[in-house]
Structure formats: C-alpha cells, structure tokens
C-alpha cells in the first residue's frame, strides 16, 4: 500500500489502555490512480490483525472525515505518527476546515447515543463490556464539546482515571449518562468555532493532488 498517514489510535491514544489492551492502528493509503478507472475498483478499506489495523483508501478516508466521523477524523489530531508523508501532512494542515458544526453534532452525539443504547439494552452477561461503552460515551461527548468550542481536538484525555471512574459509575446505572448527553446537546446548540459546512473544495483539491502523485 502507498501509506500516506498512520498512527496508533483507540485506548492507547486516549490514555485508557491497561495491561492486555489491544494496539489499534489507523491509516490511509493511496490506490494507484490507474486502478480507479478499471472495471474492478480497488479495495477501499484494508483490515489486518496483530496489531489490529484499519487503512482507508484516500478517497474513502476524506469522505469519512468530511462527515465528521469520529473514528476516521481522529487520525488528523494525533500527537505522533508511525507513518507521515508530505501528502499526509497536507491533509493534517487542513483539519480545521474539514469538520463542520453540523457534522460534529450529528456524528459525535449519534455515536454517544449508540453507546447509551447499548448500555440500556445490554444483557446481564454483557456487564463486563458496559464500562467500556460508558467510557466511550464520556469521551465522545467531551470531544464533541471541545471541537465545537475550540475547533480543535485533543485525542489524549487529560484525566483518564476520572473517565474510568465515570465509566464504572454510569455502567452501574446507565440513566446517569442522560444529563451528560443533555449538557453536550446544550453546548453544541450554542455558538462554536467550527465552520457551518466542511471545505469540500480544499478536500477535493487535496485528493486530486494525491491522484496526480500516484498516476503512472
């Protein structure tokens, strides 16, 4: 693969990893431009194991980022990268204009609501995973508020121990998460620093540079 950008994400990046936690890698790659014009298009995502890794083709990656997808967008805000190329760095430099107020509200609150739904409908034998879902919920809400109010995202949590404690507390009684959701909705309804819509023209220009670079 022509890897443009790759780094460790997930619990390790958040500061929530514990002994035995998986290492998760997220990356993006560029398919040879000629392959995009054939009858059979190249694979848009490549998933590997040991370590767990997901690589999205540049076109898919940028579409996910423009939708403010929390998982895909995370790669633009990492402190360190395993692979970083000039084209990858160009995309990182655009990160503030690729997200949007509407997209963050929809995507982040949507994902957080999914985590709450999992908590409310879990079976008794799934209790061990409940705290993990609750931690994700807390993290997503905090990230949404930070993005909305500052236009930036800090991937590593400032207080991972507090997030763990909140996760355990919410897992015991999932309805405790509802005030956190209400607060986040209120913050995201207020004035923010993100653009109303993502800069699709800048994303398109970047993707065209990628296609030129890998045309042969």
């Amino acid at each position: 693969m022509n890897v443009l950008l790759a780094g460790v994400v997930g619990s390790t990046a958040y500061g929530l990893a514990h002994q035995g936690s998986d290492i998760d890698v997220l990356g993006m790659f560029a398919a040879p431009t000629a392959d995009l014009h054939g009858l059979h298009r190249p694979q848009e995502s490549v998933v590997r194991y040991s370590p767990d890794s997901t690589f999205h083709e540049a076109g898919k990656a940028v579409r996910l980022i423009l939708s403010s997808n929390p998982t895909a967008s995370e790669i633009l805000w990492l402190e360190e990268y395993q692979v970083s190329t000039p084209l990858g760095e160009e995309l990182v430099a655009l990160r503030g204009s690729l997200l949007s107020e509407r997209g963050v509200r929809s995507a982040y609150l949507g994902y957080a609501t999914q985590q709450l739904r999992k908590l409310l409908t879990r079976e008794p034998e799934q209790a061990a995973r409940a705290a993990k879902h609750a931690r994700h919920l807390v993290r997503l809400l905090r990230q949404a508020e930070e993005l909305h109010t500052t236009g930036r995202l800090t991937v590593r949590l400032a207080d991972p121990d507090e997030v763990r404690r909140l996760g355990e507390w919410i897992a015991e009684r999932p309805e405790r998460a509802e005030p956190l959701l209400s607060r986040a909705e209120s913050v995201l309804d207020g004035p923010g620093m993100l653009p109303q819509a993502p800069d699709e023209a800048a994303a398109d220009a970047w993707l065209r540079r990628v296609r030129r670079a890998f045309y042969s």
Side-chain angles (χ1 to χ4, degrees):
M1 292 190 296
N2 303 311
V3 177
L4 304 176
L5 204 60
V8 174
V9 294
S11 60
T12 301
Y14 308 142
L16 292 172
H18 54 79
Q19 189 172 6
S21 290
D22 294 330
I23 299 294
D24 299 301
V25 175
L26 179 64
M28 64 176 67
F29 69 97
T33 303
D35 290 357
L36 299 171
H37 298 282
L39 180 63
H40 302 289
R41 294 179 62 84
Q43 200 170 349
E44 282 202 310
S45 296
V46 176
V47 178
R48 295 174 176 169
Y49 303 96
S50 297
D52 293 344
S53 59
T54 300
F55 287 80
H56 297 306
E57 205 282 321
K60 179 177 181 179
V62 80
R63 289 194 300 272
L64 288 170
I65 291 168
L66 288 171
S67 71
S68 300
N69 178 284
T71 304
S73 301
E74 199 169 280
I75 195 171
L76 300 182
W77 302 91
L78 299 180
E79 294 180 1
E80 297 180 3
Y81 292 95
Q82 294 178 328
V83 177
S84 180
T85 65
L87 281 166
E89 291 167 3
E90 284 183 28
L91 191 65
V92 171
L94 293 171
R95 62 191 181 185
S97 63
L98 299 181
L99 302 181
S100 67
E101 185 176 298
R102 182 173 61 253
V104 165
R105 192 184 200 288
S106 174
Y108 279 77
L109 290 186
Y111 272 62
T113 301
Q114 286 180 14
Q115 300 302 318
L116 179 57
R117 190 176 300 120
K118 289 176 182 177
L119 288 167
L120 292 170
T121 60
R122 74 176 190 267
E123 299 296 332
E125 61 270 19
Q126 296 175 319
R129 294 187 61 81
K132 181 176 181 179
H133 292 313
R135 288 194 299 273
H136 282 315
L137 186 154
V138 172
R139 172 184 60 81
L140 286 162
L141 294 179
R142 287 188 174 192
Q143 289 180 336
E145 292 181 17
E146 182 186 12
L147 278 168
H148 182 80
T149 56
T150 71
R152 298 184 58 82
L153 173 65
T154 306
V155 174
R156 189 169 186 85
L157 297 167
D159 52 353
D161 289 338
E162 174 64 10
V163 173
R164 290 191 191 93
R165 186 194 68 77
L166 276 172
E168 298 288 346
W169 184 68
I170 292 170
E172 292 174 359
R173 293 176 54 191
E175 63 272 15
R176 288 170 170 167
E178 292 172 359
L180 298 181
L181 270 168
S182 296
R183 171 198 149 88
E185 289 174 350
S186 177
V187 170
L188 269 63
D189 282 340
M193 297 297 293
L194 291 172
Q196 290 296 310
D199 190 344
E200 292 190 359
D204 182 74
W206 175 82
L207 188 56
R208 289 176 185 272
R209 289 195 293 275
V210 172
R211 298 307 182 215
R212 286 195 295 270
F214 291 96
Y215 177 78
S216 62

